[in-house]
C-alpha cells in the first residue's frame, strides 16, 4: 500500500493533469493512511511557503478542504458523501476520537486546526444551502475552539506553517460569521414583529422573511433572499440560536445551550420561571 506521502504526491500529479476527482480521491486516501498508521506530525520533505503547513498531514488537509470550498468544483455532501463524512468527523462538536493526534502536543495542535478549518468548511456548505442556523453554529464552534490556542487568534510575528495557515483562515472567515450572526438576529426580530398568529414557531423552520435580506456566498457573489432555514429558539443566557437546545425542566418553555448557561441565567430566570409554573397550575 502506498504511503501517505506517495498518495499526496499522486494527488498533486493528478491535479496538475486536470484530473480533479482523481486528486480529491488521493487526498482522502492520504489523510486516512496517515491517521491510521503513520507519524501524524511528520514534516513535508520539501520547502514550502510560509503560510503552507509544514506537516504532511496539515498540507494534505489544507488541499482537501479547499476542494469543498472552491465554488467552481461544487463538491458537496450529496456529490461526495464519503469525503463529507471524513470532513464532518473533524467538526469541533464531533464525538469521534482521534487518538493518534492526541498523543503529542504538536498532534493536539494539528487536531485543533483541522477541527477549526473543518467547522468553517461545514459552515460554508451550510450557508450555500441557505441554512443559516447550522452555518452560524459551525462558525461559532470553530471560533470558540480557536480561542483555546492563542497563536491561532493572535499570530506571533515570524510564525509560519500550520499556525499561519489556520490564522489566515480565521481572519478570512470572521467577516462571514459576523454577517451570519447579525442576519440571524435581524431575522428573529423581523419574524417576531410580523407574526400575528400567536403560535409558537417550530424549532427549525424555512420561513419567508418580511423583508429580503442580503446573502453573500463563498464565491463573494451577493444576492437577495426572501426565505431561510432558521433556528427559531435561542439560548436565554448567551442568545445563541441552535437546533438542539435544552428546555428548562420546570417551565418547559425556556431554552439553554447547556447546564452552564442555565446556571448562569438562573438568578434572572427563577423569577419568571416561578410565574410560569404558578400560571400553569392555576
Amino acid at each position: 500500500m502506498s504511503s501517505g506521502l506517495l498518495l499526496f504526491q499522486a494527488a498533486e500529479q493528478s491535479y496538475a493533469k486536470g484530473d480533479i476527482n482523481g486528486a480529491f480521491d488521493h487526498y482522502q486516501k492520504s489523510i486516512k493512511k496517515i491517521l491510521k498508521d503513520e507519524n501524524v506530525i511528520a514534516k513535508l520533505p520539501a520547502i514550502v511557503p510560509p503560510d503552507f503547513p509544514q506537516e504532511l498531514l496539515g498540507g494534505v488537509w489544507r488541499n482537501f478542504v479547499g476542494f469543498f470550498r472552491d465554488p467552481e468544483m461544487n463538491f458537496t455532501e450529496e456529490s461526495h458523501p464519503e469525503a463529507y463524512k471524513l470532513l464532518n468527523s473533524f467538526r469541533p462538536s464531533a464525538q469521534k476520537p482521534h487518538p493518534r493526534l492526541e498523543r503529542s502536543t504538536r498532534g493536539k495542535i494539528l487536531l485543533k486546526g483541522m477541527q477549526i478549518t473543518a467547522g468553517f468548511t461545514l459552515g460554508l456548505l451550510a450557508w450555500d444551502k441557505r441554512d443559516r442556523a447550522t452555518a452560524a453554529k459551525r462558525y461559532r464552534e470553530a471560533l470558540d475552539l480557536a480561542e483555546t490556542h492563542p497563536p491561532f487568534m493572535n499570530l506571533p510575528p515570524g510564525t509560519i506553517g500550520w499556525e499561519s495557515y489556520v490564522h489566515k483562515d480565521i481572519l478570512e472567515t470572521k467577516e462571514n460569521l459576523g454577517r451570519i450572526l447579525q442576519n440571524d438576529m435581524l431575522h428573529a426580530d423581523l419574524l417576531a414583529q410580523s407574526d400575528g398568529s400567536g403560535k409558537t414557531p417550530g424549532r427549525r423552520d424555512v420561513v419567508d422573511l418580511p423583508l429580503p435580506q442580503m446573502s453573500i456566498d463563498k464565491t463573494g457573489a451577493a444576492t437577495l433572499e426572501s426565505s431561510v432555514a432558521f433556528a427559531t429558539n435561542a439560548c436565554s443566557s448567551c442568545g445563541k440560536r441552535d437546533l438542539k437546545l435544552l428546555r428548562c425542566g420546570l417551565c418547559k418553555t425556556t431554552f439553554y445551550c447547556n447546564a452552564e448557561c442555565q446556571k448562569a441565567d438562573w438568578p434572572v430566570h427563577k423569577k419568571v420561571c416561578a410565574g410560569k409554573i404558578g400560571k400553569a397550575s392555576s
Side-chain angles (χ1 to χ4, degrees), residues 158-174:
T159 303
I160 63 174
W162 185 242
E163 279 82 358
S164 178
Y165 157 64
V166 176
H167 175 72
K168 182 179 179 181
D169 200 38
I170 291 170
L171 293 181
E172 292 176 350
T173 309
K174 269 189 169 182

Side-chain angles (χ1 to χ4, degrees), residues 60-77:
V60 183
W61 180 261
R62 171 192 177 275
N63 291 359
F64 170 70
V65 298
F67 275 70
F68 280 110
R69 296 188 183 191
D70 190 328
E72 295 184 0
M73 293 184 183
N74 196 31
F75 278 49
T76 65
E77 177 182 6

